[in-house]
Amino acid sequence: MVRTAVVPVAGLGTRFLPATKAVPKELLPLVDRPAIQYVVEEVVHNGLEDVLLVTAAGKSAIEDHFDRRLDLEAALAAKGRDADLAEVRALAELATIHAVRQHEPLGLGHAVLMAAGHVDADESFAVLLGDDLLEPDSTFLGRMVAAHERTGVAVVALLRVDDPDRLAQYGVVAAEPGERDGEVWVHDLVEKPAPGTAPSDLAVIGRYVLPGRVLEVLRDTPPGRGGEIQLTDALRTLAAERPIVGLVLDEPRHDAGEKLGFLTATLALAARRPDLGPDLVAWLHANLADLEARAGGDTGGAR
Ligand code: G1P
């Protein structure tokens, strides 16, 4: 059984400066919820109940978001704002949230290794990176857990990326067709291959289901690309022992770790909200010419 989701949130969020100077990037709102809330809701929606935040100095507001806030609750209750009160309280009940500090930014592999005191050595767990956002009703993580329970090996989420320059921003797998449609056997991985050298067009995105043994492997994994302990390198060791599973994403995903992806994710999430969607889409229709003019008319390259 996979019980725990490890969510690294220790990064400095430099791609969103100056917004992230005093506010953790995980708390930047998409519509009216901070990015991290979507991740925790995805964990819960897929049947996991325990979240381990791997956090860092200056980021304790993330934990506060999932705690009770009695003064706020009292103020909302006094004003009869029952719906807001229920929403604020529900956040503290959403999942069991734990936090551990990563004292130094030594890489994603090192952040995952911080889970060693929390999960048992033989206990499988999930890892979710908040920069990758799936739709709120996504069951992809649950499918990854099922594939892990069926095969017993690590499972990574994969995205087909055509553009070699974009592909170079990810871990990329070498793979063969797998047991089922949409699945591949991964026998090797390369962290951020130079353009033109990637072993395939299948990029690892931020969803992993890992056997507890990965922690033992991470302990012995030396710093790799960028001098950081890379999760990709530990997966490489596992895949060399026995191929691991890649599950190819077949649903929308937003790269909320970069500005354009953050904006398009906001639009996509707002569009499906009954209280906002119709008005937002009507506004976009009515203002498209003005938006195009503001963009200097050069909108042909949009993704
Ligand atoms: C990390 C991983 C990389 C993976 C990516 C997914 O990179 O190291 O293998 O493809 O997440 O988002 P980062 O984005 O932290 O540089």
Side-chain angles (χ1 to χ4, degrees):
M1 201 183 85
V2 180
R3 180 181 66 92
T4 295
V6 176
V7 184
V9 295
L12 288 173
T14 51
R15 273 181 284 181
F16 284 89
L17 283 170
T20 46
K21 186 180 171 203
V23 177
K25 78 167 172 180
E26 294 79 7
L27 292 183
L28 297 181
L30 295 101
V31 191
D32 52 10
R33 287 152 198 234
I36 187 70
Q37 189 176 330
Y38 293 96
V39 175
V40 173
E41 285 173 349
E42 179 189 337
V43 167
V44 174
H45 184 65
N46 283 274
L48 285 70
E49 61 209 29
D50 181 72
V51 174
L52 179 68
L53 300 170
V54 183
T55 177
K59 305 202 86 172
S60 41
I62 299 173
E63 287 157 75
D64 292 347
H65 183 68
F66 298 100
D67 198 352
R68 296 284 298 273
R69 172 81 193 271
L70 299 181
D71 58 338
L72 175 62
E73 289 179 24
L76 292 171
K79 289 187 174 140
R81 294 189 41 185
D82 295 344
D84 287 333
L85 176 60
E87 186 147 20
V88 162
R89 285 187 79 144
L91 278 169
E93 310 290 323
L94 186 59
T96 310
I97 308 275
H98 302 271
V100 61
R101 292 276 179 126
Q102 185 188 19
H103 298 297
E104 291 179 82
L106 299 179
L108 177 59
H110 181 260
V112 171
L113 190 49
M114 294 295 107
H118 187 80
V119 299
D120 293 337
D122 58 356
E123 182 185 349
S124 301
F125 60 94
V127 175
L128 290 88
L129 307 184
D131 285 350
D132 292 296
L133 279 189
L134 304 184
E135 295 283 314
D137 52 3
S138 169
T139 55
F140 196 77
L141 184 65
R143 286 164 58 197
M144 293 177 69
V145 170
H148 170 70
E149 283 171 351
R150 198 182 78 238
T151 59
V153 294
V155 180
V156 295
L158 298 175
L159 179 74
R160 258 183 221 291
V161 178
D162 302 331
D163 175 355
D165 291 328
R166 285 193 75 76
L167 195 57
Q169 297 168 14
Y170 296 96
V172 180
V173 301
E176 287 140 28
E179 266 177 17
R180 303 194 171 178
D181 265 5
E183 264 183 39
V184 294
W185 288 120
V186 173
H187 54 83
D188 200 4
L189 302 95
V190 186
E191 180 64 10
K192 303 197 171 81
T197 67
S200 75
D201 61 353
L202 289 171
V204 177
I205 57 149
R207 298 291 179 278
Y208 309 78
V209 178
L210 304 172
R213 194 174 122 57
V214 75
L215 298 173
E216 197 184 314
V217 173
L218 276 168
R219 264 186 215 106
D220 293 335
T221 301
R225 196 174 188 285
E228 296 187 341
I229 297 174
Q230 297 288 351
L231 180 59
T232 300
D233 291 340
L235 293 174
R236 203 169 178 211
T237 303
L238 290 180
E241 290 170 3
R242 184 179 158 200
I244 66 172
V245 169
L247 203 57
V248 183
L249 199 71
D250 52 4
E251 57 182 66
R253 164 261 183 189
H254 307 282
D255 183 359
E258 46 113 8
K259 287 168 201 164
L260 183 61
F262 192 88
L263 286 170
T264 54
T266 302
L267 286 174
L269 289 164
R272 52 184 286 160
R273 288 259 302 247
D275 57 333
L276 290 168
D279 288 347
L280 173 67
V281 175
W283 186 90
L284 287 170
H285 272 299
N287 289 277
L288 192 56
D290 178 54
L291 290 172
E292 278 174 343
R294 287 167 187 252
D298 180 19
T299 55
R303 282 183 291 144

